[in-house]
Amino acid sequence: MKDEFEYLISMKKSRKKPKEGDVFVLQPIEGVFYFGKVIQANVESIDSFVNGMTLIYVYQYSSISKEMPDVLENEELLIPPVVVNHRPWTMGYFETIGNVGVSESERNVDFAFWDVLREKYVDITTGQAIVLKHEPKYRSIFGLGSYGVVGKEVHKALC
């Protein structure tokens, strides 16, 4: 079994901080690129682990080239949304290829973060419990994820 930090292939390293709307690629398989987008840069949260970090989506859309797709917002997510720090970019596991802004439909994706300790869904900014009238389409653990977590989740989704 692989270490969780071995699921993505490093590409081009960058010290440039991600911006909202940045489209990036990640490479879980040699020569196959999956596309993601920065939905919220510099997240404002009372949780110190999440504050200042980046909310991303990784889409099911893949290609053998790093060319900007026409539209990502109509694609399904490959994994639930994740909050990451900037290391995926500085280590070269995410490579930004352009910026197209964030659409209203992307802002309204049906997802929620689960607080394992309180066993409740929580708001990303306040950390407070929220009551949902339905089970969200996408669910992930509340907290900071690493590029290793992203790689492992992508690997699980593809297998």
Side-chain angles (χ1 to χ4, degrees):
M1 181 159 199
K2 286 185 177 184
D3 177 278
E4 70 179 5
F5 293 101
E6 297 176 357
Y7 286 109
L8 296 177
I9 299 166
S10 184
M11 299 170 288
K12 183 179 176 185
K13 297 177 181 182
S14 173
R15 293 188 181 269
K16 198 172 175 187
K17 287 191 174 185
K19 297 185 301 246
E20 185 173 298
D22 278 355
V23 174
F24 61 90
V25 293
L26 54 119
Q27 189 176 191
I29 303 163
E30 187 72 42
V32 179
F33 303 99
Y34 280 81
F35 292 73
K37 187 185 276 189
V38 173
I39 301 303
Q40 187 177 355
N42 200 25
V43 170
E44 292 183 19
S45 176
I46 62 168
D47 184 299
S48 61
F49 289 107
V50 174
N51 191 52
M53 300 304 153
T54 304
L55 174 65
I56 63 163
Y57 292 171
V58 176
Y59 294 89
Q60 286 184 10
Y61 184 85
S62 66
S63 176
I64 58 170
S65 73
K66 296 179 188 177
E67 292 178 26
M68 283 285 289
D70 291 333
V71 178
L72 272 177
E73 68 186 70
N74 297 332
E75 300 293 328
E76 290 291 320
L77 299 184
L78 181 62
I79 63 173
V82 183
V83 176
V84 296
N85 59 20
H86 303 125
R87 283 197 49 88
W89 286 271
T90 61
M91 299 293 290
Y93 294 106
F94 293 177
E95 183 180 331
T96 300
I97 60 169
N99 187 297
V100 293
V102 178
S103 71
E104 198 59 36
S105 65
E106 287 171 315
R107 292 189 194 284
N108 293 315
V109 166
D110 184 22
F111 80 93
F113 288 104
W114 181 256
D115 186 317
V116 178
L117 296 175
R118 293 187 281 171
E119 297 184 345
K120 297 184 183 292
Y121 288 109
V122 295
D123 180 271
I124 190 172
T125 56
T126 66
Q128 299 298 312
I130 55 175
V131 177
L132 300 176
K133 295 182 178 176
H134 68 287
E135 191 69 21
K137 183 174 183 176
Y138 302 104
R139 302 169 292 289
S140 57
I141 302 298
F142 179 67
L144 181 62
S146 64
Y147 64 87
V149 168
V150 173
K152 189 174 183 178
E153 291 302 310
V154 167
H155 177 77
K156 284 191 327 192
L158 297 176
C159 289

